[in-house]
Amino acid sequence: MANAPDGRTDAGDSFLAVTLMSGAMLIIPVMDIIAKYLSTSLPPLEVTFGRFFFQFAICLVAALVSGQCRALKSKRPGINFLRGLLLALASLFFFTAVKFMPVATAISIFFVEPMILTILAALILKEKFGLRRVGAIVVGLVGALLILRPSFAEVGPAALLPLGTATFFAFYLLLNRRYAGADSLLAVQFSAGLAGSVVLGSALLVGTLLGRSDFAFVAPSFDQLGLLAAIGAISFAGHGLVVLAFQRGEASLLAPFTYLEIVSATLFGYLVFRDFPDAMTWVGISLIVGSGLYIAHRERIRRP
């Protein structure tokens, strides 16, 4: 991140960081919309495998074209494999969730992740937080319950899947915080794609051999294959935009823009599936967003 001569963040870098982050939050829900569409004809496990396989392939091609094959080598292969496994599980839970519920609702529940991360950081990294953060966590969880209540009544236990996504992603971010800067972006993307492909591919093979319809491979059509490739490309591009944004802007600056994902998910969900959150869901979204922003604010104060 470039700084101005007086130590302040350069305004141009801040504007670029916000632009990159906003772009990422606007395109990432497209991946979820495609996954929801594909889940009507393909098992969510296969859709998730397709995401990681094509992310892996795109990353490999990018390294070959740019002559950066050495950048694929990880300094911490075990940690990166674990990160990829956590991302794979988070994606599998989420892609399964959107099969049964609107994308915007699933994303809204997922945004309890900052609260879960705060709790995990205290338990595992021994980071301290005060009563204000405890209050924000409680408010955020109340918001999640408001969203879950009608969703659980409508779709059953599947409504809890975004909470699983948030938990796995919080563990993923915890590893990022613990081992920040150890590897290049290409190495992290490559490792995540490889780990997800191996783990999910193995699960898909076992499901196929056992004849479990919800976990068995279904030969995709040419159009479906193209959509699976699009999911991988959006994942690769979206993650890259987020990393570039955080290289140019402070976390406290970018945190509010992550909630643009709810806006874009609502828009695309309505345009494609005619899904729109009800009033109770919007109240829950407001509580989750407010508590998440407050936690980001307290993080900025604690880590100047």
Side-chain angles (χ1 to χ4, degrees):
M1 181 175 63
N3 289 329
D6 60 358
R8 291 179 292 105
T9 303
D10 182 77
D13 266 6
S14 296
F15 178 77
L16 179 58
V18 168
T19 302
L20 292 170
M21 193 68 178
S22 300
M25 294 303 103
L26 290 174
I27 67 170
I28 286 176
V30 176
M31 174 177 67
D32 304 324
I33 294 293
I34 297 174
K36 181 177 178 66
Y37 172 77
L38 286 173
S39 67
T40 59
S41 53
L42 298 176
L45 177 60
E46 184 173 344
V47 176
T48 313
F49 167 75
R51 174 214 160 158
F52 282 89
F53 174 78
F54 282 106
Q55 177 182 334
F56 166 76
I58 291 169
C59 188
L60 184 60
V61 170
L64 290 172
V65 172
S66 62
Q68 299 184 54
C69 291
R70 290 186 178 181
L72 297 177
K73 186 177 181 180
S74 173
K75 297 176 182 177
R76 298 179 181 272
I79 294 299
N80 276 342
F81 189 89
L82 180 56
R83 283 197 277 204
L85 173 61
L86 290 169
L87 275 180
L89 291 172
S91 298
L92 177 59
F93 272 51
F94 194 81
F95 285 174
T96 305
V98 298
K99 178 178 180 178
F100 301 101
M101 60 197 304
V103 173
T105 302
I107 288 178
S108 301
I109 299 171
F110 163 75
F111 270 112
V112 299
E113 174 271 319
M115 298 111 223
I116 296 175
L117 178 60
T118 300
I119 296 172
L120 291 178
L123 294 175
I124 298 175
L125 300 183
K126 306 303 180 184
E127 294 184 3
K128 297 180 180 180
F129 61 91
L131 291 176
R132 294 179 181 179
R133 285 205 197 189
V134 173
I137 291 171
V138 171
V139 170
L141 294 180
V142 169
L145 289 175
L146 289 177
I147 300 174
L148 280 171
R149 187 181 58 81
S151 298
F152 195 89
E154 183 178 348
V155 304
L160 299 175
L161 289 171
L163 289 178
T165 300
T167 302
F168 285 123
F169 197 72
F171 274 108
Y172 166 79
L173 292 180
L174 201 67
L175 285 178
N176 284 352
R177 181 177 292 187
R178 178 66 179 81
Y179 299 101
D183 287 303
S184 67
L185 171 60
L186 275 177
V188 173
Q189 292 254 46
F190 181 79
S191 299
L194 178 60
S197 298
V198 170
V199 173
L200 297 171
S202 299
L204 192 60
L205 176 61
V206 171
T208 302
L209 293 176
L210 294 177
R212 299 293 299 272
S213 59
D214 290 338
F215 304 97
F217 176 78
V218 176
S221 66
F222 183 78
D223 290 341
Q224 290 172 330
L225 201 61
L227 290 175
L228 289 171
I231 290 177
I234 294 170
S235 173
F236 180 81
H239 184 73
L241 288 174
V242 170
V243 171
L244 290 174
F246 275 96
Q247 288 176 350
R248 290 164 173 78
E250 297 176 354
S252 58
L253 170 70
L254 298 175
F257 293 93
T258 61
Y259 294 102
L260 280 175
E261 192 173 353
I262 296 176
V263 177
S264 54
T266 302
L267 174 62
F268 293 132
Y270 178 75
L271 291 176
V272 178
F273 301 108
R274 288 295 185 262
D275 291 331
F276 195 79
D278 58 20
M280 184 66 73
T281 300
W282 281 115
V283 173
I285 289 172
S286 300
L287 292 176
I288 291 174
V289 171
S291 59
L293 291 177
Y294 184 76
I295 288 175
H297 168 68
R298 297 301 301 175
E299 183 78 6
R300 181 184 64 83
I301 293 175
R302 193 173 69 86
R303 296 174 181 268

